[in-house]
Amino acid sequence: MPHRITVIPGDGTGPEITDATLAVLEATGVQFEWEFKEAGIDAVEKFGTVLPDDLLDSVRDNRVAIKGPITTPRGGGFRSVNVALRKLLDLYACVRPARYYPGVRSRYDNVDLVIVRENHEDLYAGVEFEKGDPNIGRISQITEAAGLGPIRDDAGLSLKIISEYGSRRIVRFAFEYARQYGRSKVTAVAKDNIMKYTDGLFFAVAREVATDYPDVPYEERLVDNMTMQLVQKPELYDVLVLPNLYGDILSDLCAGLVGGLGVAPGANLGDEIAVFEPVHGSAPQYAGLNKVNPMAMMFSAVMMLQHIGERGAAQRMQAALAAVIAEGKSVTYDMKPTPDDPTAVGTSQVAEAVIAKLRMMD
Ligand code: NAD
């Protein structure tokens, strides 16, 4: 039976890197049936919405999707499709591996980390009040009455929301992931010495969940100390589980440790549904130029192969990508010593090179 997968090519450079990735996936020999679905500004003209129900139904039915980046135009009236998709499909876990591959230009050669970031809560929940909103005055009355002092009337306000429910399921997810993929330990990261009732709750729940996984070592780090340690000795860490905002910042830090956006894969997962996508955005200035690096999406596709149980194909595709990187010949501008290196190849040539490596392994 072929795997039925929803494909969301996205916009900007999304369709090019999607084509390149699907070509490599097909060359692994695994059978797929692709269901192409549109989202974003391009979908509005056809469907009257940036996130058509038809797309959501397809992902719910297939339970697995691979997605290119989608542009969020600046200014009002257009909420991020990416954020809406994660909310509507309850994709509460964002998983971002950061692994060094020989040949990538990086200051580190010993990084193999996985960031597990909570996707719905924290300062990202969008519970915010603009400066001047009368609700801030009402909240100020409450904080004053509680002995916490008033809120200045020229302040904006964002609420940090961390629940026991949200913390429990993301930490449980991290431990399950560690078990499933044979990782060595889980480190919870927050700042409970300052945010006792939100980050403190996160740690308390994490400690409790950890007792259900005696086979997986557990530890805690304060986020400020963690950023320094990741720069000084990233080899000491394995799976990191974090609330939303810290997860956002540390996943970019970790992408930077291993060569940047061009090779940083990701996945957003819920209990039933998984959407695989590169960390980077749509890089619209390069759209249609056959220029950008498809490897971040290709490594996301490797994660997808693992998720659907095609471990052998995942291993071969990962090895083929690693071989192309190590050779350093058929790589895009961002992986060359300088961005204007004339030997840089385009998006589709990377796909051809990876496919050639796969064929050599057959
Ligand atoms: P971006 O990641 O698109 O681009 C930042 C820079 O990184 C680019 O100028 C380019 O130099 C480089 N870059 C990105 N991807 C690359 C690749 N594959 N190969 C080589 N170089 C690459 O970030 P941005 O410019 O801040 O965002 C552009 C749009 O993408 C925005 O509308 C943003 O909202 C959206 N976005 C979407 C997603 C998503 O769909 N998940 C994620 C992030 C940003």
Side-chain angles (χ1 to χ4, degrees):
M1 282 285 284
H3 297 277
R4 201 141 54 90
I5 310 272
T6 305
V7 180
I8 307 164
D11 54 32
T13 52
E16 296 159 57
I17 59 171
T18 301
D19 282 351
T21 302
L22 298 190
V24 174
L25 279 169
E26 282 170 1
T28 62
V30 175
Q31 299 297 305
F32 295 102
E33 194 184 315
W34 309 123
E35 246 180 59
F36 287 89
K37 297 291 168 190
E38 282 176 61
I41 205 95
D42 296 344
V44 176
E45 284 159 33
K46 281 192 205 159
F47 303 98
T49 167
V50 289
L51 198 50
D53 283 343
D54 181 45
L55 179 152
L56 294 168
D57 291 342
S58 166
V59 183
R60 285 190 186 110
D61 281 353
N62 297 333
R63 296 180 173 203
V64 181
I66 184 150
K67 174 184 165 299
I70 297 172
T71 306
T72 307
R74 283 170 187 247
F78 191 93
R79 279 203 67 200
S80 164
V81 176
N82 306 299
V83 174
L85 193 67
R86 289 166 206 160
K87 271 250 158 73
L88 290 169
L89 298 174
D90 197 15
L91 307 175
Y92 62 86
C94 178
V95 176
R96 291 184 177 173
R99 175 173 167 174
Y100 172 77
Y101 288 91
V104 171
R105 283 183 300 120
S106 159
R107 290 173 192 273
Y108 300 86
D109 59 5
N110 50 358
V111 179
D112 184 6
L113 294 158
V114 181
I115 299 267
V116 176
R117 163 188 172 191
E118 199 285 324
N119 245 347
H120 292 336
E121 301 197 318
D122 200 353
L123 287 158
Y124 272 73
V127 186
E128 294 196 288
F129 299 96
E130 197 175 0
K131 184 191 79 161
D133 186 320
N135 283 307
I136 297 183
R138 287 161 57 192
I139 294 168
S140 179
Q141 284 169 8
I142 296 173
T143 56
E144 244 189 309
L148 299 169
I151 300 169
R152 288 178 59 93
D153 59 10
D154 61 350
L157 184 66
S158 300
L159 295 186
K160 172 161 168 137
I161 298 166
I162 295 209
S163 72
E164 195 175 319
Y165 170 77
S167 304
R168 189 174 305 284
R169 65 178 184 166
I170 195 65
V171 176
R172 197 166 284 290
F173 182 99
F175 275 100
E176 288 292 334
Y177 182 97
R179 235 182 213 172
Q180 191 181 346
Y181 290 98
R183 310 292 307 203
S184 67
K185 67 173 171 179
V186 170
T187 308
V189 184
K191 196 165 171 69
D192 68 330
N193 53 340
I194 304 298
M195 277 149 291
K196 297 183 174 38
Y197 304 128
T198 47
D199 290 6
L201 179 64
F202 185 81
F203 273 153
V205 171
R207 248 166 253 153
E208 195 189 309
V209 171
T211 61
D212 292 339
Y213 298 86
D215 50 316
V216 183
Y218 168 75
E219 64 186 12
E220 291 166 9
R221 290 286 180 275
L222 294 179
V223 66
D224 39 358
N225 177 26
M226 190 70 215
T227 49
M228 186 182 69
Q229 296 222 6
L230 282 172
V231 171
Q232 287 187 325
K233 34 193 171 183
E235 71 279 4
L236 294 187
Y237 296 95
D238 196 327
V239 175
L240 308 181
V241 61
L242 312 94
N244 208 337
L245 179 63
Y246 305 143
D248 186 30
I249 296 167
L250 262 61
S251 52
D252 271 29
L253 174 80
C254 290
L257 294 179
V258 293
L261 286 176
V263 288
N268 290 292
L269 302 109
D271 289 330
E272 304 280 334
I273 298 171
V275 177
F276 298 86
E277 61 177 325
V279 170
H280 63 74
S282 57
Q285 71 275 33
Y286 297 135
L289 299 182
N290 188 40
K291 182 173 172 79
V292 297
N293 193 348
M295 285 187 171
M297 189 158 183
M298 290 178 181
F299 279 117
S300 310
V302 169
M303 295 171 73
M304 182 184 85
L305 287 170
Q306 288 166 342
H307 178 83
I308 62 176
E310 298 285 357
R311 294 250 171 150
Q315 252 166 26
R316 282 187 297 121
M317 184 165 166
Q318 185 165 336
L321 281 159
V324 172
I325 294 172
E327 219 170 65
K329 214 160 49 127
S330 300
V331 296
T332 46
Y333 74 98
D334 55 304
M335 297 186 81
K336 293 286 185 182
T338 58
D340 55 358
D341 189 318
T343 66
V345 304
T347 311
S348 57
Q349 286 72 40
V350 174
E352 285 161 16
V354 179
I355 291 169
K357 294 285 180 210
L358 274 173
R359 300 247 153 90
M360 280 162 62
M361 291 176 202
D362 284 345

